[in-house]
Amino acid sequence: HVPSLGSLQMLKFFKMERVKSTTMRVYFATGKRLLKVMETMYDRQSTFTNMLSCNEEEHVDRLTQMLNDKKTKEREIKMLQAELCECRTREIVEECSKYNNIAALNLGGLADMNFMGILSMKVLEEIGTTEDNNGVLLLFVAAGDETEEGSFLLSGDPDLVDKVGKQTAELLGGRGGGRKGRFQGKGTKLKSALPDAKQLLMNVKLA
């Protein structure tokens, strides 16, 4: 309690929300705490003004425009990824035909797990083997030009994936997990160990 309302100096109610049918929760600040809140808000507003290159009255409109642009770019990226998937699918299916339904490729640092998953699904559909993808092993890694680190995805025949998944992860300098014909994780030797990983997949088919 304060001796008088004058001790509060100033008072600002921010919002009210109903907690129970007979109870309202009130958010407010007074005195030094309110000054601190106002200082923080002003600093944030100044930062936004510099970042967005507009005055504070235009912040909401500018952010709305940026979010709309982001959604548009995301749709365009998905369309381009779909086209890229079609191109890479033909390439991978051809490699599988040469290597007994085995493919091991580095898709580059820009490929994410979602892209690798979609590509894997399209390749398996294109190969058109039995429903359980009998005998197919696809190993995709995503490592950029200047790094060995990244994600990997091993997919295909559930029995073979389960049999060789952990060994593949160890070869790639990492670890992972999965089930039902999909084993994914991260590694630190994706590019240098990829040939050995491919040989491992070929050996397990011969075993």
Side-chain angles (χ1 to χ4, degrees):
H1 298 282
V2 293
S4 67
L5 290 177
S7 301
L8 298 177
Q9 296 179 331
M10 53 183 168
L11 171 66
K12 172 64 178 177
F13 291 98
F14 295 109
K15 67 174 182 178
M16 294 187 296
E17 61 182 28
R18 187 175 297 279
V19 181
K20 299 179 181 178
S21 59
T22 58
T23 306
M24 294 289 292
R25 179 177 289 134
V26 180
Y27 295 83
F28 69 95
T30 64
K32 292 182 178 180
R33 178 173 293 181
L34 179 54
L35 287 173
K36 182 63 176 176
V37 170
M38 293 174 64
E39 180 183 356
T40 301
M41 294 174 66
Y42 178 78
D43 290 342
R44 185 183 300 118
Q45 180 175 284
S46 297
T47 300
F48 283 157
T49 297
N50 292 330
M51 292 175 63
L52 301 174
S53 300
C54 63
N55 58 50
E56 56 269 21
E57 289 83 6
E58 298 175 309
H59 285 177
V60 174
D61 290 340
R62 183 62 60 87
L63 285 171
T64 299
Q65 178 186 347
M66 292 174 67
L67 290 172
N68 289 336
D69 290 344
K70 179 176 180 290
K71 291 179 181 178
T72 300
K73 296 298 183 184
E74 287 175 344
R75 287 195 295 269
E76 293 175 352
I77 289 172
K78 285 184 179 180
M79 292 175 60
L80 291 172
Q81 284 184 333
E83 294 178 7
L84 180 58
C85 268
E86 292 296 331
C87 295
R88 297 307 300 266
T89 295
R90 291 192 292 270
E91 171 191 340
I92 296 166
V93 169
E94 184 177 345
E95 177 165 341
C96 284
S97 68
K98 296 178 180 178
Y99 295 99
N100 193 21
N101 277 346
I102 290 176
L105 299 95
N106 178 17
L107 301 179
L110 296 180
D112 57 15
M113 188 58 67
N114 182 60
F115 178 77
M116 290 192 287
I118 294 173
L119 181 59
S120 170
M121 182 175 62
K122 285 185 174 295
V123 172
L124 294 174
E125 289 175 352
E126 187 69 21
I127 291 175
T129 58
T130 61
E131 291 184 0
D132 61 357
N133 300 315
N134 182 35
V136 182
L137 281 172
L138 306 175
L139 174 60
F140 300 148
V141 304
D145 293 336
E146 300 179 358
T147 180
E148 284 268 357
E149 299 181 4
S151 303
F152 69 85
L153 172 65
L154 176 65
S155 60
D157 185 318
D159 292 335
L160 294 178
V161 170
D162 185 61
K163 182 177 180 180
V164 79
K166 291 184 178 179
Q167 290 176 271
T168 303
E170 291 173 1
L171 270 179
L172 297 175
R175 58 183 180 178
R179 60 192 182 92
K180 295 183 178 180
R182 182 183 173 108
F183 189 98
Q184 66 187 59
K186 293 183 179 296
T188 58
K189 300 186 297 182
L190 297 186
K191 290 188 291 187
S192 60
L194 188 59
D196 292 335
K198 183 176 182 178
Q199 187 61 51
L200 173 65
L201 302 185
M202 297 177 70
N203 291 342
V204 78
K205 286 286 294 290
L206 298 174

